[in-house]
Amino acid sequence: MDRARRGSRIVAGSAAIGMLLAAPVQAKKKDAAGPVIAMSDSFRAAAASVRAALEAGDLVTAVSRLSTLQPTSDFENYAAAGLRFEAATRRGDIQAQRVALTDMFKTASVPPADAPRLRYMAGLYSFQVGNYDDAVAQLNYARTLGYTGIDATMLMADIQMRRNKPREARPFVDQLLAQYRAAGRPIPAAWYDRAIALGYQSGDWAAVGALYRERLAAYPSTGNWRSAIANYLTAPGMNPQVQLDLYRLQAAVGAMASERDFQAYASLAERSGHNAEAKAIIEAGRAAGKLVATQTVTAGLMKTVTPKAAKEIGALPALARKATAAGDGSAAAKVADEYFSLSQFPKAVEFYRLALAKGGVDAGRVNSRLGVALARSGDLANARTSLAQANGEWANVAGFWAVWVDQQARQSASSTPPPVLARTQAVAGS
């Protein structure tokens, strides 16, 4: 972990002090980088004995010898504090590490190049002992010295969240994710979750959707898909048709996991006038063992939609002819929606394109569903183009489907034989 590595680097810095202890006594020129090294022979010998015990792993002896150090110069005070820090680090004594760092800061011998990192470490140790005020002060000091590491941003976010200050935490969490992205490093799932939780608390559903999509691209498990869709569906005021397409996506990724999932999807499809789709999802739920025939809501729904589904399918050819002759695209969009609900995706593509050509339709909705229909027909490249053109309230659901399209494309690419192998197979089969 970054924080542990930072600590080990400071121990390495303390070891460098040990190298100075073994060097001849000489003062640096005033214009040389770093502290002026000024140690008496007696201090050098006493400090060297501490270093020897530390290197031997004899902490008891090292701590005992530390108490005999009697620094008299600024650099000797710095070196003694560095040795106390190393001993405290080896013991895992955070409080003692923090005290040793404070003693180092009291000197003028802290190398300027090390000061930003040391201030960050002071903030970390204050955080670990629960002194959040000092932790923030040290981290801000480190920032003024130029320390802008991911670990410092993470720590500031942690502090504000532990203080139950989500408004103050959110800018740090956003900055943290941006730093991960800029560094090309994978964002830990836990930080996506924290950012999403802060988005919920602030009611920023656009950010919640974007974060869920990014999280799904990085962690595309079935369970993560279900959690993302189920949670996003709780957004207030969501268009029922957008909700329906999210349930369709949940089914497409195989994330229908409970009676509630199937029941909610089927009920929404029925209310949208897609009786055959409602019937199909109830049958799928029963086949998956998530619904039983005696379940009250879906049993009643099945009784209602079954005769309507047959009429719906029978009326579709005539509706398609009328839509083709209509002056605008609204009838074509409705016919496309019907074909879509029946999983007849190539026909849905045909009529969504007709609807866009004729005009007079919600282009965001039509482009979103055209993109899905293209993807379900196997045309992933054009699916991306159409989904990217979805706007308004449809942009978010189209974005979720775009993540699924990208995952389908990767799966297809990984299952396609390399060109040489493909040609070999073709020759072998000829």
Side-chain angles (χ1 to χ4, degrees):
M1 186 175 177
D2 284 344
R3 296 171 186 174
R5 285 198 295 271
R6 299 292 181 188
S8 66
R9 286 175 60 186
I10 292 182
V11 172
S14 177
I17 293 173
M19 293 175 65
L20 294 173
L21 298 176
V25 179
Q26 63 180 29
K28 289 189 177 180
K29 295 179 180 179
K30 290 184 179 179
D31 59 351
V36 173
I37 302 169
M39 290 183 286
S40 66
D41 290 340
S42 60
F43 178 84
R44 181 186 298 276
S49 70
V50 175
R51 157 88 14 226
L54 287 172
E55 290 179 350
D58 186 352
L59 290 177
V60 174
T61 299
V63 171
S64 176
R65 290 175 179 174
L66 276 168
S67 64
T68 68
L69 292 180
Q70 295 182 350
T72 58
S73 70
D74 186 84
F75 186 81
E76 287 177 356
N77 278 300
Y78 167 70
L83 291 169
R84 288 198 300 275
F85 178 87
E86 181 174 354
T89 299
R90 291 176 185 270
R91 296 197 312 272
D93 187 337
I94 295 172
Q95 187 63 54
Q97 287 175 294
R98 181 66 187 87
V99 170
L101 279 179
T102 299
D103 290 342
M104 292 173 74
F105 295 146
K106 291 176 181 177
T107 75
S109 294
V110 176
D114 291 346
R117 176 167 46 85
L118 289 171
R119 287 290 178 181
Y120 160 73
M121 292 304 300
L124 171 60
Y125 296 136
S126 290
F127 168 81
Q128 290 176 329
V129 298
N131 188 345
Y132 297 150
D133 288 340
D134 186 69
V136 170
Q138 295 295 335
L139 292 169
N140 284 333
Y141 198 159
R143 188 181 293 267
T144 65
L145 294 175
Y147 193 90
T148 57
I150 287 176
D151 45 9
T153 308
M154 186 183 299
L155 199 53
M156 287 292 281
D158 257 337
I159 291 168
Q160 300 305 334
M161 294 182 78
R162 290 181 184 233
R163 285 174 157 176
N164 196 27
K165 293 184 176 181
R167 184 173 297 178
E168 290 80 357
R170 190 174 181 193
F172 290 111
V173 174
D174 290 344
Q175 181 185 344
L176 174 66
L177 300 189
Q179 287 178 291
Y180 269 108
R181 295 181 192 113
R185 294 172 54 185
I187 298 173
W191 279 103
Y192 276 124
D193 294 339
R194 292 176 188 180
I196 288 166
L198 293 172
Y200 272 124
Q201 292 179 43
S202 63
D204 189 349
W205 288 94
V208 169
L211 287 164
Y212 264 132
R213 293 193 294 274
E214 189 175 343
R215 190 186 193 283
L216 286 168
Y219 304 97
S221 71
T222 300
N224 285 342
W225 270 106
R226 183 179 186 275
S227 295
I229 292 173
N231 290 332
Y232 190 71
L233 277 165
T234 65
M238 186 179 292
N239 184 323
Q241 290 300 303
V242 171
Q243 289 179 320
L244 179 60
D245 282 9
L246 286 169
Y247 278 117
R248 287 166 167 168
L249 176 57
Q250 187 174 343
V253 297
M256 302 289 288
S258 68
E259 174 186 297
R260 177 189 172 281
D261 292 340
F262 285 97
Q263 180 179 310
Y265 179 4
S267 297
L268 186 54
E270 187 271 337
R271 290 196 301 274
S272 300
H274 301 310
N275 296 284
E277 184 175 8
K279 180 175 181 289
I281 199 63
I282 293 171
E283 290 171 342
R286 289 176 177 177
K290 304 300 181 182
L291 297 174
V292 294
T294 56
Q295 202 273 337
T296 305
V297 173
T298 50
L301 198 58
M302 193 68 163
K303 186 176 181 180
T304 299
V305 301
T306 298
K308 291 182 179 180
K311 293 180 181 179
E312 186 178 282
I313 294 170
L316 191 51
L319 292 174
R321 288 192 294 272
K322 290 181 181 180
T324 302
D328 65 25
S330 57
K334 290 180 181 178
V335 168
D337 284 346
E338 287 299 324
Y339 279 123
F340 189 111
S341 73
L342 296 171
S343 297
Q344 295 186 29
F345 299 114
K347 292 294 290 183
V349 167
E350 175 187 339
F351 278 90
Y352 282 132
R353 284 176 167 162
L354 180 62
L356 289 172
K358 288 177 175 288
V361 296
D362 181 345
R365 171 173 167 168
V366 173
N367 274 308
S368 179
R369 287 184 169 170
L370 171 59
V372 177
L374 284 163
R376 300 304 299 270
S377 302
D379 187 351
L380 300 180
N382 283 316
R384 287 193 187 95
T385 301
S386 293
L387 289 169
Q389 293 174 6
N391 55 14
E393 63 185 339
W394 288 91
N396 274 321
V397 68
F400 277 103
W401 275 101
V403 175
W404 179 81
V405 168
D406 288 341
Q407 290 173 0
Q408 295 301 301
R410 285 195 294 271
Q411 291 175 12
S412 177
S414 64
S415 63
T416 301
V420 173
L421 178 57
R423 287 197 297 271
T424 302
Q425 291 175 335
V427 171
S430 61

